[in-house]
Each structure stands twice: as C-alpha cells, then as structure tokens.
C-alpha cells in the first residue's frame, strides 16, 4: 500500500520514453521493449555479421550481439547512460532480457563462465563500476551461469576507441590484457566474453587471445550492441 501511495507522487518512469511504468514494467515499458532494434543473430547462426568480424582472426565458437547500434537510436542512449550516467542497472536489465532469449536458441551453447572485458582499475574507480560486468551479471542470472571479473585483468590503460581505424583499434588494445587471479578456473572450459559494443572487435579479440592462448578456453562473444 505504501508503494502504491508513493507512486502517486513519484511514479516510476520508462528510461527511454519517460512514460509512467506499470507494476510489471521496469525499467523499460512494454512499448519501448518491443521497439528495441533486436538483431536476433542467435537464431540465424549462418547469417551473422558479428561472427564475420572475427573470421580469419581468432577462433570464436559463437559471436552474437543483442541490439543494433546506430547513431541517434535508443540503443546509443541506453549505452551512454549505462557507461557515463551512473546507471549500471541498465546493464543488468539488458543482460537478463538477452539471457532469457538465448535460452530459446537451439544453437546457443551455455557457457561455464561469463567474463566482462575488464576496465583499467583507475577508470573503474573513477566510474564506480564496470558496465560490462553488470551486463555479464544479468546474463549469468538468466542463464544460471557464473559471472566473474577476476578472470582477466587490464595491465595498462588505453585511449578511447572512438574514431580510430581498424588497425589503430587493434594496436591500441594489443597486449594490455593479462590473466587475472582466478584465471585458472576457466582452463579448458567454455567462456562467454562480453562487452558493451562491437565495432571492429579489436578489444574482444585481444581478450579472447589471452583466454585461448594461456587457458586453452573455448570462447564465445556476446555484446550488448553491434555497429553495422
């Protein structure tokens, strides 16, 4: 009763359209949820542009993305708020929704561990959280898997990937990821590596290389969004 009374004066609003949410809607209303630009790549493994990003570069079991990212669309706003507006719950929400969808895909193989691309400790301290870890946590909750941010570590910072060429993106992240304190846990296992956006795949490739080379892990990739 108190919650209902409170909502009369301070209603929960959809984070996309700002309409008042129903009790069953949080943090996005049903209308906006249906309007999100889903890729559905996990249902079409033979026609998957994300997988093609890694062809000939590194052996990835499956590479998928939840949403299409285009300049000015609602996904850009969601990712921006997740990363820079202290709204980590957006990552958890997107991870849970995507995880439930992945369970319906016959081609998706459940991972032993879900690993976020690590931030440099200084950047994570400044931001207060790793946005990709919250996405990983949401996925893990839906898939009944384990999310861990101690498998991989970042040993030096890098400049932003925005506006860099494919080669510049690769050199920007090459050799900056190392095994973390719990790296031993993923040896010879299947891991799902996650990040917020896939553009050239350079960051994910650098992380996957460490997991494959030193841990003999089988690596899949699942990002929040894909730019195409």
């Amino acid at each position: 009763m108190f919650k209902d009374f409170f909502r009369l004066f301070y209603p929960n609003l959809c984070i996309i359209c700002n309409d008042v949410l129903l009790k069953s809607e949080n943090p996005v209303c049903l209308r906006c949820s249906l309007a999100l630009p889903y890729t559905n790549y996990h249902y079409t493994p033979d026609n998957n542009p994300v997988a093609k990003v890694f062809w000939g570069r590194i052996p990835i079991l499956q590479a998928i993305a939840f949403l299409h990212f285009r300049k000015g669309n609602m996904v850009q706003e969601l990712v921006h708020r997740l990363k820079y507006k202290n709204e980590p719950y957006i990552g958890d929400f997107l991870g849970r929704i995507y995880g439930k969808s992945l369970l319906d895909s016959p081609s998706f193989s459940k991972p032993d561990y879900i690993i976020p691309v690590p931030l440099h400790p200084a950047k994570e301290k400044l931001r207060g959280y790793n946005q990709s870890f919250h996405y990983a946590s949401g996925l893990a909750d839906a898939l009944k898997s384990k999310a861990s941010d101690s498998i991989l570590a970042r040993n030096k910072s890098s400049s932003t990937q925005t506006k860099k060429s494919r080669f510049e993106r690769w050199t920007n992240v090459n050799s900056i990821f190392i095994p973390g304190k719990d790296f031993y846990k993923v040896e010879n296992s299947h891991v799902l590596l996650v990040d917020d956006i896939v553009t050239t795949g350079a960051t994910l490739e650098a992380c996957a290389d460490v997991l494959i080379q030193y841990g003999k892990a089988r690596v899949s990739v699942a990002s929040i969004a894909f730019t195409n």
Side-chain angles (χ1 to χ4, degrees), residues 110-128:
K110 180 181 174 181
D112 300 302
Y113 284 90
I114 302 177
I115 304 171
V117 169
L119 290 179
H120 187 271
K123 180 177 286 188
E124 185 167 350
K125 183 178 180 180
L126 180 65
R127 184 172 295 171

Side-chain angles (χ1 to χ4, degrees), residues 95-187:
R96 287 194 303 272
I97 297 300
Y98 197 26
K100 291 176 182 177
S101 181
L102 292 175
L103 289 173
D104 293 330
S105 170
S107 66
F108 179 76
S109 178
K110 180 181 174 181
D112 300 302
Y113 284 90
I114 302 177
I115 304 171
V117 169
L119 290 179
H120 187 271
K123 180 177 286 188
E124 185 167 350
K125 183 178 180 180
L126 180 65
R127 184 172 295 171
Y129 58 91
N130 179 350
Q131 73 279 356
S132 293
F133 177 69
H134 281 270
Y135 173 54
S137 296
L139 282 167
D141 182 58
L143 297 173
K144 306 304 179 188
S145 190
K146 303 172 185 175
S148 176
D149 60 357
S150 57
I151 305 294
L152 288 176
R154 198 167 190 142
N155 65 352
K156 61 181 180 179
S157 186
S158 61
S159 58
T160 179
Q161 298 281 65
T162 305
K163 297 183 180 180
K164 283 184 168 60
S165 67
R166 179 182 293 272
F167 179 74
E168 289 171 332
R169 286 171 183 260
W170 185 85
T171 56
N172 190 44
V173 297
N174 189 32
S175 300
I176 70 172
F177 299 105
I178 59 174
K181 64 183 180 68
D182 289 329
F183 188 79
Y184 69 94
K185 293 181 178 180
V186 301
E187 293 180 357

Side-chain angles (χ1 to χ4, degrees), residues 42-63:
H42 53 294
Y43 294 125
T44 57
D46 296 328
N47 184 24
N48 178 359
V50 184
K52 294 178 182 179
V53 168
F54 300 96
W55 284 1
R57 295 165 57 180
I58 197 162
I60 298 293
L61 293 183
Q62 186 174 22

